[in-house]
Structures are given as C-alpha cells and as structure tokens.
Amino acid sequence: MAERLQKVMAQAGVASRRASEKLISDGHVTVNGQTITELGTRVNPGDKIEVNGSPIEGSEKLVYYLLNKPRGVVTTASDEKGRTTVIDVLDEVKERVYPVGRLDYDTTGALLLTNDGELANQLMHPRYKIDKVYVAKVKGIPTNDELKALRLGVVVAGKKTAEARADVVRTDHKKGTATVQLTIHEGRYHQVKEMLKAVGHPVIKLHRERYGMLEVADLLSGEYRALRHDEVQYLKNGRQIRKSSGRL
Ligand code: URA
C-alpha cells in the first residue's frame, strides 16, 4: 500500500515526521534515484528511499514472483467490489508485493509481482521495450493485409500503435475463429483487444504467454514461482529489453 514519504521516513527512524518533511522540501531525499520535494508524495514498499545518498533502514527484503494469472482475478492490491485479487492468489508471500503493469480481469498468463519499486518503475517506463507475447482467440480469420496492419500499427484511441509482430497460429474454419500471436512492447489500456478489434476481429479469449523472457508454460493457472537470481539480473540489466530503437 502506498504511504506518505514523510511517514515512511519517520517510521524508519530517520527523523520526526515534521523534520522529515523539512528534509524532503529541502531536497535531501530521493526515491528510486529521483529527488522528491513534494510533501504529499506516496511511496510503495520496495521503493528505494535515500537521505543524502544513504538508504533508509527497515526496507523489506526484495522479492520477485512470476504468476500465471487465472481468469476472474483483478490485477490490483485491493478491490472495492470484493473480487479476488492477484495478491490473494499469492497467498504464501509475506512481503507486500504489487503487480508490474496489469492484465484484464478475464486475461490469463504471465504477470510479474515484486516489492522492488525501482525495478517496477524501470520496467514500466516507456523508454524500455519489453516484449509481451499474447495469444488471442479471435472471431473470424485475419487476412494477410489485416496482419500487416497489426504489424505496422493501427489507430487505437486516436493514436497509432507501435510496430508489432502478428501471426495466425491456428484456425478453426468450422467455428470461424483463429488464434493470433501478437507481440507488443507498449502497455496501453486494453491494447491487444483494441488492436484486434480495430482490424475487425474481436477477442474471445486472451492469454499472455511471455513477459520479457519470463514464460508461464510450466505454471498451471494460478501457480506462481519466485524468479531465479539470473532472471532478476536479466530484468535489471535490461537484457531482452530493447531500448527505443524504433524496431522490434
Ligand atoms: N491487452 C488487453 O487488451 N488486455 C490485457 O489484459 C493485456 C493487454
């Protein structure tokens, strides 16, 4: 849960709340490397808070999990309608993790959860281009021209999507449906559903099979596992994350 920066500093024994506020407004405090001077700023567990360059004490151990998100679960820490959240699914995790990005209620597949705010911010920054590989069952069978349009970009909410990979991997002519594999690196709202709708093929079912190099093929729906050290390093080093070169 996000908390006010001055409260977190006071709880960590840095200084009183009022003295912490002064440290913030005087520009002595950074969160994930950025100087913060605004007093209302909220921080998440795992955010790296430093005062004059020294990290504050009491931070949780940093943990990283890959979940194969089941259908019918919300990607938030709490839900006002009382629906099951991804945090409820990670029932044996003690740390206060939160999801990196989001998947829709009815979307399944790869979701990273962590309490490492610095890495989460890095991964969600538009400058980084993480491959997200989706498989979508769609109505109708996309033509080559429609696939080409998906690859080059289609207009969604008034803005063209970036280059993508798009292929039909299966067709069911009897039912008039197809399975499309779509690789994108943006994270716009309902992006995959909107892209496929834009070319006339509404999504029936959506699954994210890969996030960066993290695949969920070996996890059953609702299963999760801790990332290996090398996987965390890969994410941190930006390997498999392409910086904006304009190409996929
Ligand atoms: N695109 C969507 O439309 N939904 C998701 O859950 C993820 C990407």
Side-chain angles (χ1 to χ4, degrees):
M1 224 40 43
E3 303 244 47
R4 283 171 173 262
L5 179 55
Q6 57 267 42
K7 181 173 172 200
V8 174
M9 286 170 64
Q11 279 171 347
V14 173
S16 69
R17 209 177 281 199
R18 185 160 298 185
S20 296
E21 287 179 356
K22 177 131 176 43
L23 286 169
I24 297 167
S25 42
D26 288 350
H28 293 285
V29 182
T30 59
V31 176
N32 301 328
Q34 287 214 318
T35 303
I36 300 293
T37 52
E38 206 166 306
L39 290 179
T41 303
R42 288 180 179 271
V43 289
N44 286 303
D47 279 342
K48 194 171 162 200
I49 302 164
E50 291 175 314
V51 178
N52 293 325
S54 306
I56 69 168
E57 298 296 323
S59 307
E60 269 182 340
K61 175 181 147 219
L62 297 179
V63 293
Y64 309 84
Y65 290 94
L66 175 67
L67 166 70
N68 185 356
K69 178 192 170 294
R71 189 183 310 279
V73 168
V74 283
T75 312
T76 48
S78 64
D79 183 56
E80 73 274 9
K81 292 187 202 154
R83 294 176 295 185
T84 306
T85 74
V86 287
I87 308 299
D88 297 330
V89 179
L90 268 70
D91 52 355
E92 282 175 8
V93 173
K94 302 279 173 296
E95 292 80 8
R96 291 193 296 166
V97 294
Y98 52 90
V100 178
R102 64 186 297 282
L103 291 176
D104 294 335
Y105 186 69
D106 57 354
T107 300
T108 57
L111 185 69
L112 176 64
L113 294 106
T114 181
N115 56 357
D116 183 341
E118 196 175 0
L119 180 64
N121 286 344
Q122 178 187 321
L123 295 176
M124 288 192 282
H125 195 285
R127 188 157 61 91
Y128 289 90
K129 294 187 167 185
I130 290 233
D131 274 356
K132 294 163 209 156
V133 184
Y134 292 89
V135 278
K137 186 173 170 192
V138 299
K139 275 196 191 158
I141 297 170
T143 62
N144 283 338
D145 281 351
E146 287 162 348
L147 290 174
K148 199 168 159 194
L150 289 171
R151 290 178 192 132
L152 296 177
V154 291
V155 177
V156 166
K159 194 170 162 247
K160 197 169 164 189
T161 56
E163 277 181 59
R165 277 186 221 132
D167 293 288
V168 170
V169 291
R170 214 169 303 127
T171 53
D172 186 332
H173 286 273
K174 259 198 210 143
K175 290 194 179 136
T177 60
T179 303
V180 178
Q181 188 185 59
L182 193 59
T183 304
I184 60 171
H185 52 250
E186 297 170 295
R188 291 167 54 188
Y189 187 60
H190 288 164
Q191 180 157 349
V192 172
K193 291 177 185 167
E194 293 296 332
M195 285 176 75
L196 286 157
K197 195 162 90 185
V199 294
H201 298 284
V203 168
I204 301 167
K205 230 172 166 185
L206 185 59
H207 176 74
R208 181 156 76 187
E209 55 183 24
R210 184 156 73 74
Y211 177 86
M213 77 303 230
L214 304 173
E215 289 186 283
V216 285
D218 52 356
L219 293 173
L220 296 173
S221 174
E223 274 189 346
Y224 58 93
R225 66 169 177 86
L227 295 196
R228 296 188 313 266
H229 180 70
D230 62 300
E231 291 174 321
V232 176
Q233 288 314 310
Y234 263 122
L235 291 172
K236 285 190 177 168
N237 295 340
R239 302 258 292 273
Q240 305 247 344
I241 303 170
R242 288 160 223 211
K243 294 241 175 109
S244 312
S245 65
R247 289 191 62 78
L248 262 181

